[in-house]
Amino acid sequence: MTSIDAGPTGRLRLAPSILAADFGSLAEQVRAIDDETDWLHVDVMDGHFVPNVSIGPPVVTSLRRYSDRFFDCHLMMTEPGRYFEAFKAAGADGCTIHVEIGDTAALLTEARAVGLRVGLAANPDSPFATVAPFLGQIDLLLLMTVFPGFGGQSFIGEVMGKVTEARREIDVQGVAVDLEVDGGIDERTAPVAVAAGANVLVAGSAIFSRPDPLAAARSLRRVAMKA
Ligand code: DX5
Ligand code: ZN
């Protein structure tokens, strides 16, 4: 399976999270928002790193038949390294692991060796210093704006200081790293995150829980672009 190009680093992107979609009609829902999807965000929860379980490689395999978009897989897992090959074979393009699980450098190297675009995520209470040493080794930095595990939570504005810090450091070092925020992103918070320096916006509820998800995604992009 060849990877789908993520596109130029740093450009504003919308990454709808399928966690908020109706899993009974996932393919239709994903197709309905295709025009406004830059990356499709796939939330994988193992019931261990986070107190919830969601989906895994079989769903990626199925969705791959319905979408040519970049699949941005967020692995909320204690042992993601056991599944990199399975995600790659299923059609994942990028996988993001959490810094809180440790063994970060080795896991990033393993993910890249499998042919994945590589991301590193930090929970709201993990300081920038925990991810800073890995900036030269990653393609994506994901700063969580909620504690992971559930969709529909409220945006934690205090994370914006860390987003600003990360943006400054990415620019100073001149590394090709996308800066993603995830959790509670809607028309009100998206411009705040973009102003702080984020360029990839994950949104679940603000798209799929709305009566017209395509229109909701379009309006989210519009407000984010004005920020
Ligand atoms: C949280 C997930 C998020 C979440 C976003 O554990 O990583 O991707 O689904 O959902 P909303 O946009 O509803 O906060
Ligand atoms: Zn996520």
Side-chain angles (χ1 to χ4, degrees), residues 33 114 148 163 174 186:
I33 55 153
V114 165
V163 172
D186 59 20

Side-chain angles (χ1 to χ4, degrees), residues 55-149:
I55 54 172
V59 175
V60 173
T61 303
S62 298
L63 281 179
R64 197 71 283 180
R65 293 197 281 273
Y66 299 93
S67 171
D68 292 330
R69 300 296 176 181
F70 181 90
F71 281 7
D72 171 37
C73 299
H74 177 193
L75 307 187
M76 289 163 272
M77 310 177 84
T78 307
E79 295 190 87
R82 292 172 63 183
Y83 304 94
F84 290 149
E85 283 183 17
F87 276 104
K88 177 67 186 173
D93 301 298
C95 279
T96 297
I97 61 161
H98 270 263
V99 72
E100 294 82 14
I101 60 173
D103 209 14
T104 304
L107 283 168
L108 294 173
T109 302
E110 274 175 50
R112 193 171 299 287
V114 165
L116 290 161
R117 198 169 187 269
V118 177
L120 184 61
N123 283 345
D125 58 356
S126 293
F128 178 63
T130 62
V131 292
F134 306 103
L135 278 185
Q137 215 190 327
I138 58 178
D139 304 302
L140 169 76
L141 178 62
L142 165 53
L143 297 180
M144 293 301 301
T145 40
V146 297
F147 283 90

Side-chain angles (χ1 to χ4, degrees), residues 17 19 41 43 45 74 76 144 148-152 182-184 202-205:
S17 163
L19 191 65
H41 188 78
D43 282 310
M45 303 180 182
H74 177 193
M76 289 163 272
M144 293 301 301
F150 301 91
D182 180 4
V202 176
S205 312

